[in-house]
Amino acid sequence: MDTIDKDAAQRVWGRVRGDAPQPQREEGLPELIAREWEASTTYLQLSRRFQGRQNALLRKLAQQEQTHMACLKGLYTLITGNRPKVAGVPPKWDD
């Protein structure tokens, strides 16, 4: 009969009990949320400079970015139990 490695068993049971430190999975999410917010704002501002199909396309892209942002916020909330605190950065324009 095989013997049980006590150190390996302790590591396994430590993970089962949650003794092992958990990786910071939310790391980087606030930055991604901010980038999606910036992209959405950029598309929305660009849409105001165009008409017709271009305007509709840019508005659709802005809506998609807002959806991405909402998904990332949801992930952050699920991982941390807190709502993300992300300040939107207005896009830079070189007018």
Side-chain angles (χ1 to χ4, degrees), residues 54-93:
Q54 291 88 3
N55 177 284
L57 176 62
L58 288 165
R59 286 188 176 278
K60 183 177 180 180
L61 290 170
Q63 180 61 43
Q64 288 176 352
E65 296 300 329
Q66 288 174 0
T67 301
H68 300 160
M69 182 178 63
C71 290
L72 291 170
K73 284 181 172 183
L75 285 172
Y76 185 92
T77 302
L78 286 172
I79 291 169
T80 65
N82 300 314
R83 298 183 76 177
K85 294 177 181 150
V86 178
V89 179
K92 299 171 185 79
W93 293 100

mmCIF file of all heavy atoms in Angstrom, residues 54-93:
data_model
loop_
_atom_site.group_PDB
_atom_site.id
_atom_site.type_symbol
_atom_site.label_atom_id
_atom_site.label_comp_id
_atom_site.label_asym_id
_atom_site.label_seq_id
_atom_site.Cartn_x
_atom_site.Cartn_y
_atom_site.Cartn_z
ATOM 1 N N GLN A 54 -22.650 57.002 -40.707
ATOM 2 C CA GLN A 54 -21.477 57.133 -39.845
ATOM 3 C C GLN A 54 -21.895 57.434 -38.401
ATOM 4 O O GLN A 54 -21.343 56.875 -37.457
ATOM 5 C CB GLN A 54 -20.524 58.226 -40.351
ATOM 6 C CG GLN A 54 -19.829 57.891 -41.642
ATOM 7 C CD GLN A 54 -20.641 58.317 -42.855
ATOM 8 O OE1 GLN A 54 -21.708 58.908 -42.725
ATOM 9 N NE2 GLN A 54 -20.147 57.991 -44.037
ATOM 10 N N ASN A 55 -22.875 58.313 -38.244
ATOM 11 C CA ASN A 55 -23.388 58.653 -36.924
ATOM 12 C C ASN A 55 -23.959 57.410 -36.251
ATOM 13 O O ASN A 55 -23.663 57.126 -35.081
ATOM 14 C CB ASN A 55 -24.455 59.746 -37.030
ATOM 15 C CG ASN A 55 -25.073 60.074 -35.691
ATOM 16 O OD1 ASN A 55 -25.902 59.321 -35.185
ATOM 17 N ND2 ASN A 55 -24.676 61.199 -35.132
ATOM 18 N N ALA A 56 -24.759 56.650 -36.978
ATOM 19 C CA ALA A 56 -25.378 55.442 -36.419
ATOM 20 C C ALA A 56 -24.319 54.409 -36.033
ATOM 21 O O ALA A 56 -24.415 53.774 -34.971
ATOM 22 C CB ALA A 56 -26.363 54.854 -37.419
ATOM 23 N N LEU A 57 -23.314 54.244 -36.874
ATOM 24 C CA LEU A 57 -22.249 53.280 -36.590
ATOM 25 C C LEU A 57 -21.464 53.682 -35.338
ATOM 26 O O LEU A 57 -21.193 52.847 -34.463
ATOM 27 C CB LEU A 57 -21.300 53.155 -37.783
ATOM 28 C CG LEU A 57 -20.099 52.241 -37.581
ATOM 29 C CD1 LEU A 57 -20.543 50.808 -37.317
ATOM 30 C CD2 LEU A 57 -19.186 52.298 -38.797
ATOM 31 N N LEU A 58 -21.116 54.946 -35.230
ATOM 32 C CA LEU A 58 -20.364 55.411 -34.065
ATOM 33 C C LEU A 58 -21.189 55.295 -32.785
ATOM 34 O O LEU A 58 -20.662 54.940 -31.728
ATOM 35 C CB LEU A 58 -19.882 56.841 -34.284
ATOM 36 C CG LEU A 58 -18.756 56.973 -35.311
ATOM 37 C CD1 LEU A 58 -18.589 58.428 -35.749
ATOM 38 C CD2 LEU A 58 -17.457 56.425 -34.750
ATOM 39 N N ARG A 59 -22.479 55.558 -32.865
ATOM 40 C CA ARG A 59 -23.344 55.392 -31.698
ATOM 41 C C ARG A 59 -23.446 53.916 -31.291
ATOM 42 O O ARG A 59 -23.457 53.593 -30.106
ATOM 43 C CB ARG A 59 -24.732 55.969 -31.956
ATOM 44 C CG ARG A 59 -24.753 57.477 -31.947
ATOM 45 C CD ARG A 59 -26.185 58.025 -32.019
ATOM 46 N NE ARG A 59 -26.174 59.452 -31.907
ATOM 47 C CZ ARG A 59 -26.103 60.118 -30.759
ATOM 48 N NH1 ARG A 59 -26.021 59.472 -29.624
ATOM 49 N NH2 ARG A 59 -26.103 61.427 -30.740
ATOM 50 N N LYS A 60 -23.491 53.048 -32.286
ATOM 51 C CA LYS A 60 -23.527 51.607 -31.991
ATOM 52 C C LYS A 60 -22.233 51.167 -31.308
ATOM 53 O O LYS A 60 -22.259 50.392 -30.347
ATOM 54 C CB LYS A 60 -23.746 50.813 -33.278
ATOM 55 C CG LYS A 60 -23.866 49.332 -33.060
ATOM 56 C CD LYS A 60 -24.163 48.602 -34.353
ATOM 57 C CE LYS A 60 -24.267 47.109 -34.099
ATOM 58 N NZ LYS A 60 -24.559 46.358 -35.314
ATOM 59 N N LEU A 61 -21.096 51.660 -31.800
ATOM 60 C CA LEU A 61 -19.819 51.344 -31.174
ATOM 61 C C LEU A 61 -19.765 51.863 -29.734
ATOM 62 O O LEU A 61 -19.258 51.175 -28.833
ATOM 63 C CB LEU A 61 -18.661 51.919 -31.992
ATOM 64 C CG LEU A 61 -18.404 51.244 -33.338
ATOM 65 C CD1 LEU A 61 -17.395 52.056 -34.152
ATOM 66 C CD2 LEU A 61 -17.925 49.819 -33.139
ATOM 67 N N ALA A 62 -20.292 53.066 -29.506
ATOM 68 C CA ALA A 62 -20.331 53.625 -28.152
ATOM 69 C C ALA A 62 -21.163 52.734 -27.235
ATOM 70 O O ALA A 62 -20.765 52.452 -26.100
ATOM 71 C CB ALA A 62 -20.896 55.041 -28.183
ATOM 72 N N GLN A 63 -22.309 52.253 -27.745
ATOM 73 C CA GLN A 63 -23.164 51.372 -26.946
ATOM 74 C C GLN A 63 -22.458 50.050 -26.636
ATOM 75 O O GLN A 63 -22.552 49.536 -25.519
ATOM 76 C CB GLN A 63 -24.477 51.104 -27.685
ATOM 77 C CG GLN A 63 -25.425 50.205 -26.922
ATOM 78 C CD GLN A 63 -25.847 50.803 -25.595
ATOM 79 O OE1 GLN A 63 -26.142 51.983 -25.494
ATOM 80 N NE2 GLN A 63 -25.846 49.989 -24.552
ATOM 81 N N GLN A 64 -21.727 49.515 -27.589
ATOM 82 C CA GLN A 64 -20.987 48.275 -27.354
ATOM 83 C C GLN A 64 -19.925 48.466 -26.267
ATOM 84 O O GLN A 64 -19.745 47.594 -25.408
ATOM 85 C CB GLN A 64 -20.338 47.786 -28.646
ATOM 86 C CG GLN A 64 -21.318 47.227 -29.642
ATOM 87 C CD GLN A 64 -20.657 46.847 -30.961
ATOM 88 O OE1 GLN A 64 -19.489 47.135 -31.194
ATOM 89 N NE2 GLN A 64 -21.430 46.204 -31.826
ATOM 90 N N GLU A 65 -19.242 49.595 -26.314
ATOM 91 C CA GLU A 65 -18.224 49.870 -25.300
ATOM 92 C C GLU A 65 -18.867 50.012 -23.921
ATOM 93 O O GLU A 65 -18.303 49.577 -22.916
ATOM 94 C CB GLU A 65 -17.420 51.120 -25.657
ATOM 95 C CG GLU A 65 -16.614 51.009 -26.932
ATOM 96 C CD GLU A 65 -15.585 49.894 -26.914
ATOM 97 O OE1 GLU A 65 -15.052 49.579 -25.835
ATOM 98 O OE2 GLU A 65 -15.315 49.326 -27.979
ATOM 99 N N GLN A 66 -20.055 50.619 -23.867
ATOM 100 C CA GLN A 66 -20.757 50.736 -22.592
ATOM 101 C C GLN A 66 -21.160 49.358 -22.066
ATOM 102 O O GLN A 66 -21.102 49.104 -20.859
ATOM 103 C CB GLN A 66 -21.990 51.631 -22.746
ATOM 104 C CG GLN A 66 -21.644 53.083 -22.924
ATOM 105 C CD GLN A 66 -22.855 53.946 -23.225
ATOM 106 O OE1 GLN A 66 -23.981 53.454 -23.301
ATOM 107 N NE2 GLN A 66 -22.632 55.242 -23.399
ATOM 108 N N THR A 67 -21.531 48.459 -22.972
ATOM 109 C CA THR A 67 -21.863 47.088 -22.576
ATOM 110 C C THR A 67 -20.634 46.378 -22.029
ATOM 111 O O THR A 67 -20.703 45.694 -21.001
ATOM 112 C CB THR A 67 -22.443 46.310 -23.776
ATOM 113 O OG1 THR A 67 -23.606 46.993 -24.244
ATOM 114 C CG2 THR A 67 -22.800 44.898 -23.398
ATOM 115 N N HIS A 68 -19.497 46.545 -22.701
ATOM 116 C CA HIS A 68 -18.250 45.954 -22.215
ATOM 117 C C HIS A 68 -17.911 46.479 -20.817
ATOM 118 O O HIS A 68 -17.519 45.716 -19.932
ATOM 119 C CB HIS A 68 -17.085 46.260 -23.154
ATOM 120 C CG HIS A 68 -17.268 45.750 -24.540
ATOM 121 N ND1 HIS A 68 -16.561 46.256 -25.606
ATOM 122 C CD2 HIS A 68 -18.080 44.785 -25.054
ATOM 123 C CE1 HIS A 68 -16.929 45.631 -26.709
ATOM 124 N NE2 HIS A 68 -17.843 44.736 -26.396
ATOM 125 N N MET A 69 -18.085 47.788 -20.648
ATOM 126 C CA MET A 69 -17.795 48.414 -19.365
ATOM 127 C C MET A 69 -18.700 47.837 -18.271
ATOM 128 O O MET A 69 -18.231 47.525 -17.170
ATOM 129 C CB MET A 69 -17.978 49.930 -19.454
ATOM 130 C CG MET A 69 -17.652 50.670 -18.184
ATOM 131 S SD MET A 69 -17.810 52.466 -18.347
ATOM 132 C CE MET A 69 -19.542 52.641 -18.704
ATOM 133 N N ALA A 70 -19.974 47.656 -18.575
ATOM 134 C CA ALA A 70 -20.906 47.098 -17.598
ATOM 135 C C ALA A 70 -20.520 45.668 -17.217
ATOM 136 O O ALA A 70 -20.601 45.283 -16.044
ATOM 137 C CB ALA A 70 -22.331 47.135 -18.153
ATOM 138 N N CYS A 71 -20.078 44.879 -18.188
ATOM 139 C CA CYS A 71 -19.636 43.505 -17.910
ATOM 140 C C CYS A 71 -18.413 43.506 -16.997
ATOM 141 O O CYS A 71 -18.344 42.725 -16.035
ATOM 142 C CB CYS A 71 -19.315 42.768 -19.205
ATOM 143 S SG CYS A 71 -20.759 42.372 -20.199
ATOM 144 N N LEU A 72 -17.460 44.373 -17.283
ATOM 145 C CA LEU A 72 -16.257 44.450 -16.456
ATOM 146 C C LEU A 72 -16.584 44.912 -15.040
ATOM 147 O O LEU A 72 -16.022 44.404 -14.060
ATOM 148 C CB LEU A 72 -15.222 45.375 -17.098
ATOM 149 C CG LEU A 72 -14.592 44.847 -18.387
ATOM 150 C CD1 LEU A 72 -13.775 45.952 -19.066
ATOM 151 C CD2 LEU A 72 -13.738 43.634 -18.114
ATOM 152 N N LYS A 73 -17.515 45.856 -14.931
ATOM 153 C CA LYS A 73 -17.944 46.304 -13.605
ATOM 154 C C LYS A 73 -18.595 45.160 -12.844
ATOM 155 O O LYS A 73 -18.383 44.995 -11.643
ATOM 156 C CB LYS A 73 -18.924 47.473 -13.719
ATOM 157 C CG LYS A 73 -18.288 48.795 -14.047
ATOM 158 C CD LYS A 73 -19.357 49.877 -14.102
ATOM 159 C CE LYS A 73 -18.780 51.250 -14.245
ATOM 160 N NZ LYS A 73 -19.829 52.292 -14.230
ATOM 161 N N GLY A 74 -19.402 44.372 -13.545
ATOM 162 C CA GLY A 74 -20.037 43.218 -12.916
ATOM 163 C C GLY A 74 -19.023 42.202 -12.435
ATOM 164 O O GLY A 74 -19.144 41.662 -11.331
ATOM 165 N N LEU A 75 -18.008 41.936 -13.253
ATOM 166 C CA LEU A 75 -16.943 41.015 -12.851
ATOM 167 C C LEU A 75 -16.233 41.519 -11.599
ATOM 168 O O LEU A 75 -15.973 40.764 -10.666
ATOM 169 C CB LEU A 75 -15.927 40.839 -13.979
ATOM 170 C CG LEU A 75 -16.358 39.975 -15.150
ATOM 171 C CD1 LEU A 75 -15.319 40.053 -16.267
ATOM 172 C CD2 LEU A 75 -16.542 38.544 -14.701
ATOM 173 N N TYR A 76 -15.925 42.801 -11.595
ATOM 174 C CA TYR A 76 -15.246 43.388 -10.446
ATOM 175 C C TYR A 76 -16.095 43.222 -9.182
ATOM 176 O O TYR A 76 -15.584 42.839 -8.129
ATOM 177 C CB TYR A 76 -14.954 44.870 -10.703
ATOM 178 C CG TYR A 76 -14.154 45.522 -9.607
ATOM 179 C CD1 TYR A 76 -12.772 45.564 -9.679
ATOM 180 C CD2 TYR A 76 -14.777 46.092 -8.500
ATOM 181 C CE1 TYR A 76 -12.022 46.156 -8.674
ATOM 182 C CE2 TYR A 76 -14.035 46.675 -7.493
ATOM 183 C CZ TYR A 76 -12.667 46.706 -7.582
ATOM 184 O OH TYR A 76 -11.920 47.279 -6.582
ATOM 185 N N THR A 77 -17.390 43.491 -9.309
ATOM 186 C CA THR A 77 -18.289 43.369 -8.169
ATOM 187 C C THR A 77 -18.381 41.931 -7.681
ATOM 188 O O THR A 77 -18.369 41.666 -6.477
ATOM 189 C CB THR A 77 -19.686 43.908 -8.524
ATOM 190 O OG1 THR A 77 -19.563 45.276 -8.936
ATOM 191 C CG2 THR A 77 -20.629 43.837 -7.348
ATOM 192 N N LEU A 78 -18.458 40.983 -8.614
ATOM 193 C CA LEU A 78 -18.522 39.571 -8.227
ATOM 194 C C LEU A 78 -17.242 39.115 -7.535
ATOM 195 O O LEU A 78 -17.283 38.339 -6.580
ATOM 196 C CB LEU A 78 -18.775 38.699 -9.456
ATOM 197 C CG LEU A 78 -20.187 38.741 -10.022
ATOM 198 C CD1 LEU A 78 -20.240 37.982 -11.347
ATOM 199 C CD2 LEU A 78 -21.184 38.149 -9.036
ATOM 200 N N ILE A 79 -16.103 39.589 -8.011
ATOM 201 C CA ILE A 79 -14.818 39.159 -7.451
ATOM 202 C C ILE A 79 -14.573 39.781 -6.080
ATOM 203 O O ILE A 79 -14.148 39.100 -5.145
ATOM 204 C CB ILE A 79 -13.663 39.509 -8.417
ATOM 205 C CG1 ILE A 79 -13.752 38.642 -9.675
ATOM 206 C CG2 ILE A 79 -12.313 39.336 -7.739
ATOM 207 C CD1 ILE A 79 -12.826 39.078 -10.788
ATOM 208 N N THR A 80 -14.857 41.080 -5.952
ATOM 209 C CA THR A 80 -14.483 41.793 -4.730
ATOM 210 C C THR A 80 -15.634 41.982 -3.745
ATOM 211 O O THR A 80 -15.393 42.209 -2.567
ATOM 212 C CB THR A 80 -13.931 43.193 -5.059
ATOM 213 O OG1 THR A 80 -14.981 43.989 -5.636
ATOM 214 C CG2 THR A 80 -12.742 43.109 -5.995
ATOM 215 N N GLY A 81 -16.858 41.946 -4.234
ATOM 216 C CA GLY A 81 -18.002 42.235 -3.376
ATOM 217 C C GLY A 81 -18.256 43.728 -3.249
ATOM 218 O O GLY A 81 -19.159 44.151 -2.525
ATOM 219 N N ASN A 82 -17.490 44.535 -3.945
ATOM 220 C CA ASN A 82 -17.628 45.996 -3.913
ATOM 221 C C ASN A 82 -17.839 46.523 -5.318
ATOM 222 O O ASN A 82 -17.415 45.906 -6.289
ATOM 223 C CB ASN A 82 -16.367 46.648 -3.327
ATOM 224 C CG ASN A 82 -16.096 46.200 -1.927
ATOM 225 O OD1 ASN A 82 -16.988 46.154 -1.100
ATOM 226 N ND2 ASN A 82 -14.858 45.838 -1.653
ATOM 227 N N ARG A 83 -18.460 47.690 -5.406
ATOM 228 C CA ARG A 83 -18.600 48.339 -6.699
ATOM 229 C C ARG A 83 -17.282 49.020 -7.051
ATOM 230 O O ARG A 83 -16.620 49.577 -6.180
ATOM 231 C CB ARG A 83 -19.731 49.364 -6.668
ATOM 232 C CG ARG A 83 -21.082 48.699 -6.372
ATOM 233 C CD ARG A 83 -22.165 49.684 -6.404
ATOM 234 N NE ARG A 83 -22.432 49.964 -7.818
ATOM 235 C CZ ARG A 83 -23.390 50.762 -8.229
ATOM 236 N NH1 ARG A 83 -24.151 51.393 -7.368
ATOM 237 N NH2 ARG A 83 -23.583 50.949 -9.515
ATOM 238 N N PRO A 84 -16.906 48.979 -8.332
ATOM 239 C CA PRO A 84 -15.636 49.610 -8.711
ATOM 240 C C PRO A 84 -15.713 51.129 -8.606
ATOM 241 O O PRO A 84 -16.743 51.733 -8.894
ATOM 242 C CB PRO A 84 -15.434 49.166 -10.162
ATOM 243 C CG PRO A 84 -16.790 48.848 -10.655
ATOM 244 C CD PRO A 84 -17.578 48.373 -9.463
ATOM 245 N N LYS A 85 -14.616 51.713 -8.186
ATOM 246 C CA LYS A 85 -14.518 53.174 -8.108
ATOM 247 C C LYS A 85 -13.567 53.608 -9.213
ATOM 248 O O LYS A 85 -12.359 53.591 -9.047
ATOM 249 C CB LYS A 85 -14.007 53.594 -6.739
ATOM 250 C CG LYS A 85 -14.980 53.264 -5.636
ATOM 251 C CD LYS A 85 -14.432 53.618 -4.285
ATOM 252 C CE LYS A 85 -15.470 53.220 -3.247
ATOM 253 N NZ LYS A 85 -14.887 52.853 -1.996
ATOM 254 N N VAL A 86 -14.144 53.959 -10.350
ATOM 255 C CA VAL A 86 -13.352 54.328 -11.515
ATOM 256 C C VAL A 86 -13.808 55.696 -11.968
ATOM 257 O O VAL A 86 -14.997 55.925 -12.188
ATOM 258 C CB VAL A 86 -13.533 53.307 -12.662
ATOM 259 C CG1 VAL A 86 -12.741 53.722 -13.873
ATOM 260 C CG2 VAL A 86 -13.141 51.920 -12.208
ATOM 261 N N ALA A 87 -12.869 56.596 -12.107
ATOM 262 C CA ALA A 87 -13.177 57.925 -12.607
ATOM 263 C C ALA A 87 -12.966 57.943 -14.114
ATOM 264 O O ALA A 87 -11.925 57.506 -14.603
ATOM 265 C CB ALA A 87 -12.286 58.961 -11.933
ATOM 266 N N GLY A 88 -13.961 58.396 -14.824
ATOM 267 C CA GLY A 88 -13.841 58.502 -16.272
ATOM 268 C C GLY A 88 -12.891 59.621 -16.660
ATOM 269 O O GLY A 88 -12.850 60.665 -16.023
ATOM 270 N N VAL A 89 -12.144 59.365 -17.688
ATOM 271 C CA VAL A 89 -11.206 60.367 -18.192
ATOM 272 C C VAL A 89 -11.724 60.852 -19.526
ATOM 273 O O VAL A 89 -11.964 60.058 -20.431
ATOM 274 C CB VAL A 89 -9.793 59.756 -18.380
ATOM 275 C CG1 VAL A 89 -8.831 60.767 -18.927
ATOM 276 C CG2 VAL A 89 -9.306 59.169 -17.081
ATOM 277 N N PRO A 90 -11.961 62.164 -19.664
ATOM 278 C CA PRO A 90 -12.452 62.658 -20.949
ATOM 279 C C PRO A 90 -11.409 62.423 -22.043
ATOM 280 O O PRO A 90 -10.208 62.556 -21.788
ATOM 281 C CB PRO A 90 -12.690 64.146 -20.719
ATOM 282 C CG PRO A 90 -11.919 64.488 -19.507
ATOM 283 C CD PRO A 90 -11.746 63.227 -18.713
ATOM 284 N N PRO A 91 -11.853 62.064 -23.243
ATOM 285 C CA PRO A 91 -10.897 61.846 -24.322
ATOM 286 C C PRO A 91 -10.182 63.136 -24.686
ATOM 287 O O PRO A 91 -10.715 64.231 -24.522
ATOM 288 C CB PRO A 91 -11.745 61.336 -25.471
ATOM 289 C CG PRO A 91 -13.144 61.675 -25.131
ATOM 290 C CD PRO A 91 -13.221 61.848 -23.648
ATOM 291 N N LYS A 92 -8.980 62.985 -25.185
ATOM 292 C CA LYS A 92 -8.179 64.154 -25.576
ATOM 293 C C LYS A 92 -8.480 64.490 -27.034
ATOM 294 O O LYS A 92 -8.479 63.619 -27.886
ATOM 295 C CB LYS A 92 -6.706 63.833 -25.393
ATOM 296 C CG LYS A 92 -6.345 63.520 -23.973
ATOM 297 C CD LYS A 92 -4.920 63.000 -23.881
ATOM 298 C CE LYS A 92 -4.598 62.572 -22.487
ATOM 299 N NZ LYS A 92 -5.121 61.270 -22.154
ATOM 300 N N TRP A 93 -8.743 65.752 -27.293
ATOM 301 C CA TRP A 93 -9.017 66.207 -28.653
ATOM 302 C C TRP A 93 -7.961 67.213 -29.068
ATOM 303 O O TRP A 93 -7.572 68.072 -28.292
ATOM 304 C CB TRP A 93 -10.395 66.872 -28.729
ATOM 305 C CG TRP A 93 -11.505 65.897 -28.504
ATOM 306 C CD1 TRP A 93 -12.184 65.726 -27.341
ATOM 307 C CD2 TRP A 93 -12.032 64.966 -29.426
ATOM 308 N NE1 TRP A 93 -13.118 64.721 -27.490
ATOM 309 C CE2 TRP A 93 -13.050 64.237 -28.762
ATOM 310 C CE3 TRP A 93 -11.754 64.652 -30.742
ATOM 311 C CZ2 TRP A 93 -13.787 63.246 -29.377
ATOM 312 C CZ3 TRP A 93 -12.499 63.657 -31.357
ATOM 313 C CH2 TRP A 93 -13.489 62.975 -30.680
#
